Amino acid sequence: LASQRHLLDIDDVNEDFYFGTVLQGIRAPLPTAFEAALFSTEMLWPEEVLDLYGEMTEDERELLVSERWGESKLPRYVEMQGGGFTVPLGMHKPWWYKSNDVLLGDHIEYNCPFLRYVFNPENSKWFDYIEEPWHGIGK
């Protein structure tokens, strides 16, 4: 094994690939892509996940929201639909993939009022990724 270490330095392994492999290896129950996006996002809002990985009926989405966020939060989810996208429970550097206009907009401010305390618009990498195919709802 030590002689093969040079083939793949552990620092070069994408963290998502690493954790996905470990979780599958220990047979952990894995969420659907939509459930994962309801929990947290880095680059895709839950609606963008559905565009990429398959549609769900409104009833199916609302059932998952009730199961993951609790039934009392379903009205908040329904209300968010009027803003164009669902704001998940958490975010991991969304400023790399979403514009400052979106992240500083009223929809995010209302649904995630603390983002403004951790987000410095000067740190945005949006323009670095604007040519990438991953920009959609959250432009």
Side-chain angles (χ1 to χ4, degrees):
L1 182 64
S3 65
Q4 294 179 1
R5 180 151 171 68
H6 71 278
L7 297 176
L8 179 64
D9 190 346
I10 194 67
D11 293 333
D12 293 334
V13 176
N14 177 287
E15 64 196 51
D16 299 332
F17 177 75
Y18 172 80
F19 285 110
T21 302
V22 169
L23 292 172
Q24 185 178 27
I26 63 173
R27 296 185 180 171
L30 299 177
T32 65
F34 181 73
E35 289 172 293
L38 286 173
F39 173 69
S40 186
T41 190
E42 183 170 349
M43 68 179 0
L44 299 174
W45 303 121
E47 291 74 16
E48 292 173 305
V49 167
L50 292 174
D51 287 344
L52 287 172
Y53 297 106
E55 290 293 323
M56 298 174 83
T57 67
E58 184 176 337
D59 288 341
E60 290 171 326
R61 291 190 310 268
E62 289 183 0
L63 176 64
L64 288 174
V65 168
S66 292
E67 289 176 352
R68 301 300 173 231
W69 287 5
E71 285 187 40
S72 66
K73 298 299 183 193
L74 184 58
R76 185 66 172 260
Y77 168 78
V78 171
E79 180 184 347
M80 281 187 212
Q81 303 315 293
F85 60 93
T86 303
V87 179
L89 298 176
M91 295 189 215
H92 180 250
K93 300 183 288 188
W95 47 87
W96 281 25
Y97 304 98
K98 302 299 177 193
S99 72
N100 288 348
D101 291 341
V102 169
L103 297 175
L104 297 172
D106 292 339
H107 187 58
I108 294 281
E109 175 66 26
Y110 178 73
N111 291 293
C112 186
F114 298 108
L115 181 63
R116 65 183 166 148
Y117 297 109
V118 297
F119 168 52
N120 179 349
E122 293 176 8
N123 293 336
S124 177
K125 299 221 184 266
W126 168 248
F127 294 107
D128 296 342
Y129 294 101
I130 201 162
E131 298 300 323
E132 296 293 322
W134 297 104
H135 63 300
I137 295 171
K139 289 185 184 181

